[in-house]
Amino acid sequence: MNDPIAPPATPDDPTPLRPTVGENGRRWWQDAVVYQAYVRSFRDSTGNGIGDLEGLRSSLDHIASLGVDALWLNPCYPSPQRDHGYDVADYFDIEPDYGTLDAFDRLLADAHGHGIRILMDIVPNHCSSDHPWFRAALAAAPGSDERARFWFRDGRGVDGSEPPNNWMSGFGGSAWTRVGDLPGADPDDVQWYLGTFTPHQPDFDHTNADVQQLFADALEFWFDRGVDGFRVDAVSPVGKHPDLPDQPPVPPDTHELDITWENPYTVFRPEGHDVWRRWRDVIDRYTERHPDRDPMMVAEAYAVRQPDVIREFTRPDEFHQAFTFDLMMSPWDTGSIEWALREPLELFADTGAPPAWVLNNHDIQRIVTRLGRSSAADPASWTNNPQRLPDEPVDLVVGTRRARALVAFVSALPGSLYLYQGEELGLPEVLDLPDEARQDPIFLSTHGQQLGRDGCRVPLPWTTDPATSFGFSPRPDPTAPWLPQPDWWGRYAADAGTGADAGNPMLALYRRLAVARSEHATPQPLEAELLPAGDGLVAVRRGSLVAVLNVTDRDVRLDSSTVRASIRRVFASETITDDVTGDAIDHADVSTIPPCSTVWLRD
C-alpha cells in the first residue's frame, strides 16, 4: 500500500487494555463500548476511493475519543465484493483493496496500544461463489465430497427443471440456482444449490466435517493473531431441516424480502444451535490454553420482539451476547421503548447475559432519518425503515434531537453499547443516491424496487473540503469514493464549523457521553429496573443512577416518587438554561425533563 494519510497512530503513552476481568468481577465485554467500522467507507489512505485498514489506523485517536473499548470490523477478507465482504472467498487473509495481513497486524497492535480490542466479523452461513471450495464443487460430480460441503440437491420434475423446494431468497426470488444454467457449466447438470441470500453466496452445510473444521481453524487463526472476538453474521439461517421440505404458506401480506424469515425449516433451527455449541467449545478451549485472553462472540440474530430467541442464543454454552435490536427498531413511543427495554433487562436477570444495545448499523437507515419521520411516533411503525422511498418528509432537526436523547439514555444502561461509524457525526441517511451508483444486492436483485442499504454506507466526511472527498481521501482530486457523497456532506464533518461554533455538536455529545458513562454509569451494577415515571417519560434506575427519557415535545415533570431529596443532575443530552438569564445551569429543578431529551440523575 502507499504511505498512510497520517503517521502511525500508536500513542506515545499506550493505554493498557482493560483487564479481562475487572475489579468488580465483570468481564471486559459485559459493559464495553464497541465501534463498528465499515472499512470500505471509513477512510481511504491511498486515494483510490475505497477505505482501507491504514485509513482506519490513522484515525484511532478519533475512535478512542468516544470511550471505545473495542473496534468491530465489517468483513475485510478477500471477496469479489458482490455483497461487500459478506461473500467471503478466503477466511484466512485480507481483502487486497483494504490492505494485507501485515497491515491488519499493525492496526491491531496500534488499537491495543489505544486500549481498544479488535472484533472481526465472520460469515458462517455462506461463502462466495468464488471460494475455492465452491468452484471445486461445481467442477465435481453430484454426490461428491466437494458438493457435500454445500446444499446441492436434484431438481424436481421430470427433467429436474424445478427447484428442490419453494424456499425464497432473503434478497428476493428463489433461494435455489440450477447448476446447468451457470455460465460454462454442463447444461445437463440438473442439480441445484441453495443460496439463502443470493446465487453468489452458496450456503454451507454445517453438518459436514470439513465445514466444521474450516470454521474452527478460522477462529483459532484470528485469535492467534490477537483478535479479541467475533461478531457472527446472520446466525438465524445457519442450520436447515435435513429433509428440506417445502415452506408452509406465509401470511398473504408478507413482503417478498421477509418470506425467508417466516420459514421454520431454515430459520432459528435447532441444527444451528449445534453449530454455536461447537464454536463456543473452540473458544472455551482456546481460553483454557491462553488464560490471559478472554475472546468472545456476539450473535446477529435479527429477531424483533422475539425475546425467547435471544434467550436461546445466549445459553451458557453458546454466544456470550446477542444484539438487542428492539430498541433500534422501536417507535418513538413510551410503551414501545419500555417494551424494548424490559425484555433484555429481565433476560439478564434470568441468565446473566448482559444486553448488547445498538441504535444503528450497516443494515438499517440511520437513526436521525428514522426518528425524523412523522410516522416515527406511531406505535405501529416498528423499524421505520421503508424499503421504498417514502413520501413523508424527514425533519432532521427533530430526528437529531431524538437521536441525541436516545443514545444518551442507552449509554446509562447496563450492558454493551455498539456504535456504527458516522452516528457520532449525526449523519442522516442518503436517500437520493443515483440508481446507477447503488451497489447493494437488495437493490440489484429487486431491479430497483427496494432501496437497499447503500444510503447508510456512504463514505464518511472528515473535513469540509470537497476536493479531498471531504477528507475521506488523502489528497486533492482523488478517485471518486466508491459511493458518491452528497454536496452537503461537509456540514457533518468531524471538523465542521468555525470560530465559536467550531466542531460537530453531535460528536461533542458522544465525547461528553464517554466521560459521563465512565464516571456515572459503568461503576453502577449491571442490574437495572424500569421505573414508573409519568406520561411521556421512560425511566430506568441502575444503582444510584436514574436515566430519564422524555419522548414528548414539551417539558414534563418526573413522578415525585422517583425523585429523592438528595438527587442531582449529572448529565443532560441538551443544554438546560435558566429561563431568566439564558445561562446554562447544572442544578435547576431536577424533576423537570426538557422535551425530546435525556437527563441522568444521581444520589
Side-chain angles (χ1 to χ4, degrees), residues 82-83 86-88 91 122-128 151 167-177 193-204 231-240 256-261 266-268 300-302 362-363 440-446 453 457:
R82 295 188 182 97
D83 193 11
Y86 287 95
D87 47 334
V88 178
Y91 288 86
I122 194 164
V123 186
N125 180 70
H126 52 264
C127 64
S128 167
W151 294 95
W167 294 2
M168 298 292 289
S169 160
F171 290 169
S174 174
W176 294 92
T177 299
Y193 67 88
L194 179 66
T196 292
F197 292 94
T198 72
H200 305 297
Q201 294 162 296
D203 284 30
F204 284 115
R231 177 265 192 186
V232 185
D233 176 66
V235 303
S236 55
V238 173
K240 277 77 174 174
E256 183 182 29
L257 295 184
D258 295 328
I259 289 176
T260 296
W261 317 118
T266 188
V267 176
F268 301 126
E300 188 222 20
Y302 259 104
H362 63 294
D363 285 331
D440 189 358
I442 292 179
F443 180 83
L444 300 176
S445 65
T446 61
R453 302 159 296 176
R457 302 176 178 183

Side-chain angles (χ1 to χ4, degrees), residues 507-528:
L507 180 57
L509 171 72
Y510 273 71
R511 288 173 173 165
R512 286 199 299 120
L513 273 171
V515 176
R517 191 173 189 273
S518 175
E519 182 177 352
H520 300 293
T522 52
Q524 304 294 335
L526 282 175
E527 296 82 8

